[in-house]
Amino acid sequence: MHGRAAAGQDSRRYGAVVRREARELIRRGRVAVDGVSVRSPEEKALPESGAITVCGEALDCRRYTWVMLNKPAGYLSATEDGRDRTVLELLSPELRRRNLFPVGRLDKDAEGLLLLTNEGRLAHDLLSPKRHVDKVYYVRVAGRLTEEDCRAFAAGMTLEDGFHCRPAGLEILKADRESEAHVTLREGKFHQVKRMLAQRGKPVLYLKRVRMGDVPLDPALPRGAYRFLTEIELEKLRMI
Ligand code: URA
């Protein structure tokens, strides 16, 4: 299902994980209907049958949406912009009404894996350096990458503006006058991959994100196409 994502897929997105979490919350007496604590996971309550609260907070019965986009170059990772096209414009009108936002940024000229969601908490966790979620980028650079470059990445570079990068991975795939590599970061400062490689004298010619955590870019997604995340992919994100 590319581009126009198939209706109905997202209705199955949560499945096992959410059911497990819900049972646990009910067992711990954290769920109430109209102020009365629910004690059995078997008790049925329709959203319209009473005010459901979880840990004292009203339950928002809308389901969250998670989309994987293969971002093409030329689009901003933003929800709106006065001048440039944004990744939101690649989505169907129905999806655009769901208030999705990109989980982190890819530069306008960068391509690859971009998640979009309306689930703020998990999106925030995925981007937090404390959570150690690897972001892996395929890069093509001008110049020959060396083991010294790998050591500089692993040691944690300091950029010219004084920003200290955490130790990062540089796996050389091809070393030549133009080289190719996978860069792994656990943080995401503006233009970070480009700036780290520029500092090593190897300017980036092409950059594509290929993985976030344990979720790789679906190789079957053409540039500009998207699909809903599968339950397994969502489960992997929720386990971080
Ligand atoms: N680092 C960059 O330099 N650009 C991106 O788009 C992402 C990471």
Side-chain angles (χ1 to χ4, degrees):
M1 169 218 16
H2 300 152
R4 299 292 144 114
Q9 285 274 323
D10 59 337
S11 62
R12 297 193 296 272
R13 279 168 309 138
Y14 286 105
V17 182
V18 164
R19 272 195 295 281
R20 221 170 29 237
E21 283 174 1
R23 282 206 192 92
E24 186 52 30
L25 285 166
I26 289 169
R27 270 194 206 102
R28 286 196 267 138
R30 301 288 168 83
V31 179
V33 178
D34 281 338
V36 179
S37 179
V38 179
R39 284 292 169 184
S40 159
E42 271 61 57
E43 245 180 85
K44 297 262 184 301
L46 295 170
E48 60 272 25
S49 68
I52 303 174
T53 54
V54 178
C55 301
E57 282 188 34
L59 179 69
D60 184 350
C61 290
R62 278 177 312 169
R63 292 214 168 123
Y64 295 120
T65 300
W66 279 86
V67 166
M68 170 191 292
L69 168 72
N70 184 359
K71 178 191 172 301
Y75 287 81
L76 287 188
S77 300
T79 51
E80 52 183 47
D81 189 82
R83 216 179 43 183
D84 281 309
R85 292 177 298 183
T86 75
V87 288
L88 267 288
E89 291 170 46
L90 294 162
L91 305 182
S92 68
E94 196 279 316
L95 273 180
R96 264 183 264 156
R97 283 193 291 275
R98 297 197 201 181
N99 297 323
L100 303 184
F101 56 86
V103 181
R105 281 160 185 256
L106 279 176
D107 294 338
K108 185 176 166 189
D109 63 354
E111 298 189 347
L113 175 60
L114 188 65
L115 300 178
L116 294 121
T117 187
N118 47 15
E119 186 175 359
R121 171 74 66 88
L122 181 55
H124 175 268
D125 285 353
L126 285 173
L127 297 173
S128 164
K130 290 192 204 114
R131 298 287 176 146
H132 302 303
V133 178
D134 285 348
K135 277 140 307 247
V136 183
Y137 302 86
Y138 164 83
V139 289
R140 209 169 60 243
V141 301
R144 188 181 294 273
L145 287 169
T146 63
E147 286 307 313
E148 211 177 309
D149 295 320
C150 297
R151 282 194 289 276
F153 270 55
M157 295 174 57
T158 301
L159 299 178
E160 73 283 0
D161 65 354
F163 176 73
H164 295 291
C165 303
R166 288 167 186 243
L170 179 66
E171 183 199 353
I172 300 172
L173 305 172
K174 178 181 154 198
D176 211 330
R177 275 173 24 195
E178 265 184 30
S179 303
E180 294 169 32
H182 279 145
V183 174
T184 303
L185 297 187
R186 286 183 168 173
E187 57 193 350
K189 282 279 163 239
F190 193 53
H191 295 328
Q192 187 166 344
V193 173
K194 289 177 183 164
R195 290 169 68 204
M196 290 171 81
L197 284 159
Q199 191 149 312
R200 299 298 306 166
K202 321 277 160 71
V204 168
L205 305 171
Y206 174 78
L207 185 147
K208 177 180 184 178
R209 182 154 58 205
V210 293
R211 185 159 68 79
M212 261 185 101
D214 288 331
V215 176
L217 175 66
D218 184 341
L221 272 184
R223 278 193 188 96
Y226 61 89
R227 65 163 173 77
F228 290 111
L229 287 193
T230 64
E231 276 182 26
I232 292 171
E233 287 166 338
L234 257 178
E235 192 161 353
K236 285 177 177 166
L237 295 181
R238 291 187 194 289
M239 287 200 312
I240 60 162

